[in-house]
Amino acid sequence: MDVVADEEDPEALGPAETEEVRQLIRQLRQEGLGIFLISHDIHDVFDLSDRISVMLQGKLVGTVNKTDVTQDEVLAMIIAGKHPGDVTEEDIADLHR
């Protein structure tokens, strides 16, 4: 399997260029290429990924299938370092305060 790594710098790209990169990622994915995407944009992560890995302070919090989690659960991984199975309703509420 071939793999492509992409770390986007959103400030360096305009909206049209960003969409071109998204389309290219989708096309390469359809062609069977593995894509390793590093992004701080949770919307891109959910739009372009099958699996999501989160690191916090240099340590792996976990890897999840996108279809098994909500954006709030991934945010809890990012902010609190909690795996989705350990996230409480209170944790989710704290994310929105």
Side-chain angles (χ1 to χ4, degrees):
M1 172 192 276
D2 293 325
V3 176
V4 174
D6 177 36
E7 180 179 6
E8 287 190 60
D9 181 0
E11 295 177 13
L13 300 175
E17 293 85 2
T18 299
E19 185 55 33
E20 285 181 38
V21 171
R22 287 184 190 123
Q23 291 298 337
L24 177 60
I25 290 171
R26 288 182 190 107
Q27 176 186 342
L28 293 172
R29 190 169 148 209
Q30 282 184 313
E31 293 174 10
L33 219 61
I35 309 289
F36 183 77
L37 175 68
I38 301 169
S39 179
H40 297 92
D41 184 326
I42 196 161
H43 302 289
D44 278 349
V45 169
F46 269 82
D47 184 39
L48 300 170
S49 302
D50 296 318
R51 288 181 304 279
I52 301 167
S53 294
V54 173
M55 294 186 73
L56 181 64
Q57 298 180 358
K59 295 184 179 173
L60 182 66
V61 174
T63 299
V64 294
N65 289 322
K66 173 182 73 174
T67 56
D68 295 340
V69 293
T70 66
Q71 287 188 10
D72 281 341
E73 289 172 321
V74 172
L75 285 173
M77 292 173 74
I78 294 167
I79 295 168
K82 292 188 173 187
H83 197 271
D86 299 330
V87 175
T88 66
E89 291 297 321
E90 184 176 330
D91 293 327
I92 299 294
D94 286 346
L95 295 173
H96 297 283
R97 289 189 188 147

